[in-house]
Every structure is written in structure tokens, then in C-alpha cells.
Amino acid sequence: MFLRLVYESFRRQKRRKLLAGTAITLGVGVATAMIAVATDIGDKVSRELRTFGANIVVTPQDDSLDLQIAGIDLKPPSDGAYLNEADLPKIRGMFWHNNIVGFAPVLPVSVNVGEKNVALLGTYFSKRLTFGKEEFRTGVHAIYPWWKVSGAWPEDDSEDVLLGEKLATSLGLKTGDQIEVARQEHRVAGVLSTGGAEDDKIVAPLAVAQSTLGRPGAVRRLYVSAVTKPEDAFARRDPKSLRGPEFDRWYCSPYVQSIAYQLQEVIPHSHAEQIRQVAQNEGTVLTKIKGLMLLITLAALLAAALAVSAAMATAMFERRSEVGLMRALGAGSISVAAIFFAEALLLAVLGGSVGFAGGAVLARVIGRSIFDSQIGVDLVLFPIVIAIAVLVTFAGSALAIRRAVQFDPVYALRGEA
């Protein structure tokens, strides 16, 4: 009899049940998509933000040594501390090498062009390197994708250079012209536009800067772009204070601090630290995006609960005679409530299942349209989604069911309830 009553309710109130089920499906679908995106958004947002430049800088260890007396910094400016270019491919051997989007060494040199003193910046454009049997490319192409060149990018093994657009204008030079730097003629392969300090500089292959400075293999700084996890309190712990499992957890987490620590391990006599403005902004952006997704999820579930409440209230009013008859035949409040909660449970499971499937599709659409990659929905999420659907449905139905079990059978049967 119990199952028949539930079945008859769905058969005779198709429109009401369809309305409530649609509300649950839409609310749960949005919640599923937002949960799926939120759990997978960290790496994707971090990779998107990597297009805004490096987040770690590596310098010679001597540059990081403090020499202070009575609070006065007595460390002289060092022009003799350099990293060794031959050590850079070792980055591919570190634990988090797959998180390294790219790196670019920098060697600044002051040169004269005619009567004008100009900064020449040596770097990698898209340098082919080898680590063991592995070949890979890295350079400013990877970490500064917004750099624009009118003309062509120089080859890393050539003598060609790029002129910043402001410098090219002041010198009256253009692509294809020759420029004399330190008594050497170089062809201007292109004009560089970055919107930064490089617009006033000559940007050349690293070997050109090393030759001009007379220091083969020298690197002044190394900029690294790495996909990282937003820092938390544990990330800010001093690794020297960690022991055993705590250190392993810190070391094996893709924090910017732990990646910087590993860079110091593979590059001798180096000091690596995060470019704090970049790393902190990434964490702030990710936190705000996740907060927005949580707000959308709560709004969708609240709207679903309100829609279910309205549909159930109307359904209960239409069924007041049925409720009055059950009460008159001796059914208690618990028995009457059990029937309606069973209907709500069945509605939640059906709507939640359809909503889960729809949310999975929506998550994939969001992944492809925003991040240009696939966002998958793990089946482990299914029972959580069904539980959310049940809670939303029960929350929306509770008030209507409470009023139903309080119907006076006399007035209900007379149609006055």
C-alpha cells in the first residue's frame, strides 16, 4: 500500500513533480559543475597565470648574503657573482620539473652604441637544451608570451639582436639594419615591444652578451615560470625546522617555496626566491574565483529549494482531502510524513542523478571554453551530489509536509483546510 500511494502521487501529479524535479536537476547540475571546476581549477588557473611571466628568480648565492653593522648594509654591489649556464639543464632533473613551464637566463651588459650608453640584455629566445637523453626548448617564448616582435625572432646561436621599440625609434633603426655593439656588427632581426623596460634595451642571444662581457657561460639571473599551489600556513614553514614526514610533505607539495628550494639544490651556489607580487596575486585570484563558485553553488541550491518548496506546498494543498482521509482512517503524523518524505527522496534521487550527468557536461563545456582543456567529474562525487539533492529537497519540502500532517481531518474532508 505504501509503495502504491507513492506511485499514485507521481502518476496523478505529473506537472507538480516535474516542476520540482526540474528545479532539483538545475540546482544540482550547477552545483556539480562548480564543485568539479573548483576541485580542478588550481592547476588550470595557475597555468593560465603563467602567461603573465615568471614567479621565481634565481640569483648567485653571494648576492643574497647580508653584511650589516649597526643596521647599515655594507655589502658592496657585486659584479663578479654569476651562475653557470652549464648548470641550467639540471632543472629537468628536479622533483617538480614537470611543473616548470619554462625558464630564461639573463645577463645584462652595458654597451655603447655610437655616443649613447645602452643596456644589452642576453637571454634565451627558444633555446634547445639537453638533459640526459631528453631534449627540450626554453626561453622567453615560454615565460613571456606577451612579448611581440615586428620582424623575426633571432636564433639563439646567431649574432642577430632585437631592438626595443623605444630604442629603435631613438636610434632611427628598423628591422634588417645593422647596429654596431662593442665594435661588432649585428643585424637587427626585429623590433621588440613588451610595454616594459626591455623597450629601451637591446635584447640578444645569451652567447652575444657573454662574448661582449668576456665571460663565457656566465648568467646573472634566472627567471623561472612554475605551476604552483597557492601558499598556506604550512607552505610558509621554514624547511630547516621540519623533520621526517613533515619535510617530505612540504618537499613533495608544489608550493612556490618548495620549488625554489629544489632549484637551489640543482643549481650550485644559487639562491632562489619567489617573485612575491606574482605568487601572492595568484593565490588571491584563485581564492576569489573559488569564493565566486561557492556563491553561485549556494545561490543555485537555494533557488532549487525555494522552487521545491513552492511546488510541494501547492501539491499538499491539492491533496488535503487525501491527507484528511488517511488521518480519519487512523494514520499517525509519522505515517503521513513518511509517505511524503519517501516521495521527496525519490524525487531527489531522480533529479540528482540527471543533474549530476548535466553538471558533468557543463563542467566539460566550462573547461573547454575557458581553460581550453577537459575538466572531468569523478564518480566519487556522485554520492555527495545525491546527498546534496536529498538535503535540498527535504529542506524545501519540510515546511509543506509539516503543514500537511497538521491538517484537521474534519476540515480537510470538508475541503475547508
Side-chain angles (χ1 to χ4, degrees):
M1 180 62 71
F2 182 85
L3 295 178
R4 183 175 180 180
L5 287 172
V6 173
Y7 168 75
E8 288 295 328
S9 172
F10 276 83
R11 187 180 68 83
R12 297 171 60 184
Q13 289 189 313
K14 295 178 181 178
R15 293 180 61 184
R16 302 295 180 194
K17 294 298 188 288
L18 181 62
L19 176 61
T22 301
I24 296 168
T25 298
L26 292 176
V28 170
V30 172
T32 301
M34 293 299 102
I35 293 172
V37 173
T39 55
D40 200 27
I41 197 175
D43 286 349
K44 289 179 170 55
V45 169
S46 185
R47 289 190 180 277
E48 288 291 321
L49 292 175
R50 291 283 42 80
T51 62
F52 292 99
N55 54 349
I56 300 174
V57 60
V58 184
T59 56
Q61 193 174 49
D62 290 350
D63 287 357
S64 64
L65 298 177
D66 292 328
L67 179 58
Q68 293 187 349
I69 298 179
I72 301 174
D73 188 2
L74 300 179
K75 183 179 68 176
S78 172
D79 290 328
Y82 296 96
L83 301 172
N84 188 351
E85 182 186 2
D87 293 323
L88 302 188
K90 297 177 182 178
I91 292 175
R92 296 295 293 183
M94 59 185 281
F95 182 82
W96 284 111
H97 69 274
N98 286 329
N99 282 49
I100 302 298
V101 175
F103 58 86
V106 169
L107 180 63
V109 183
S110 181
V111 298
N112 290 320
V113 178
E115 297 180 355
K116 186 173 184 177
N117 186 263
V118 178
L120 182 145
L121 197 67
T123 189
Y124 289 164
F125 295 109
S126 183
K127 179 79 170 180
R128 183 187 296 274
L129 298 176
T130 302
F131 178 75
K133 296 181 179 180
E134 180 185 5
E135 287 190 352
F136 62 98
R137 285 187 176 273
T138 189
V140 294
H141 273 185
I143 67 173
Y144 300 126
W146 71 86
W147 282 20
K148 303 299 180 184
V149 172
S150 176
W153 288 89
E155 295 293 332
D156 284 285
D157 56 356
S158 72
E159 297 288 323
D160 296 345
V161 300
L162 295 176
L163 290 186
E165 59 179 357
K166 293 181 180 178
L167 180 61
T169 300
S170 66
L171 295 177
L173 297 175
K174 61 182 183 302
T175 300
D177 290 345
Q178 296 290 320
I179 184 173
E180 184 178 335
V181 178
R183 299 181 182 180
Q184 294 288 329
E185 290 287 334
H186 299 274
R187 187 178 72 90
V188 178
V191 176
L192 175 67
S193 174
T194 69
E198 294 80 11
D199 289 352
D200 287 309
K201 298 178 180 179
I202 301 172
V203 183
L206 182 62
V208 172
Q210 292 168 342
S211 176
T212 302
L213 188 63
R215 287 186 174 273
V219 172
R220 193 72 181 86
R221 291 184 300 278
L222 177 69
Y223 289 98
V224 180
S225 179
V227 176
T228 61
K229 176 182 178 181
E231 68 174 26
D232 50 26
F234 185 70
R236 292 186 285 271
R237 296 276 298 274
D238 184 355
K240 295 179 182 178
S241 67
L242 302 177
R243 295 290 182 273
E246 280 194 330
F247 178 80
D248 292 340
R249 176 189 162 198
W250 183 88
Y251 190 90
C252 296
S253 298
Y255 297 124
V256 65
Q257 295 92 335
S258 60
I259 293 178
Y261 182 87
Q262 292 170 36
L263 287 168
Q264 292 177 174
E265 290 182 324
V266 299
I267 302 177
H269 312 297
S270 68
H271 173 74
E273 61 182 356
Q274 62 175 310
I275 301 175
R276 191 161 294 276
Q277 297 91 333
V278 176
Q280 287 181 340
N281 286 338
E282 288 181 9
T284 301
V285 169
L286 187 58
T287 300
K288 290 182 178 179
I289 292 175
K290 286 187 174 181
L292 177 61
M293 289 184 173
L294 175 61
L295 184 62
I296 294 173
T297 301
L298 293 177
L301 294 177
L302 178 61
L306 292 175
V308 170
S309 179
M312 294 296 286
T314 305
M316 293 303 173
F317 182 77
E318 293 175 350
R319 298 172 66 183
R320 62 191 185 281
S321 298
E322 177 186 339
V323 174
L325 180 59
M326 286 190 290
R327 295 296 302 275
L329 293 175
S333 298
I334 296 178
S335 300
V336 175
I339 293 174
F340 294 124
F341 274 118
E343 294 177 11
L345 177 63
L346 182 57
L347 199 62
V349 172
L350 293 175
S353 300
V354 177
F356 178 81
V361 174
L362 180 59
R364 288 191 177 91
V365 171
I366 293 174
R368 292 196 175 278
S369 60
I370 297 178
F371 302 108
D372 195 26
S373 62
Q374 184 170 331
I375 293 179
V377 178
D378 200 321
L379 286 177
V380 175
L381 191 60
F382 181 72
I384 298 174
V385 169
I386 295 299
I388 292 174
V390 171
L391 289 175
V392 169
T393 307
F394 279 11
S397 305
L399 181 60
I401 294 174
R402 181 173 178 273
R403 292 186 61 186
V405 299
Q406 291 177 343
F407 281 160
D408 188 317
V410 175
Y411 292 108
L413 290 173
R414 289 172 57 187
E416 299 177 6

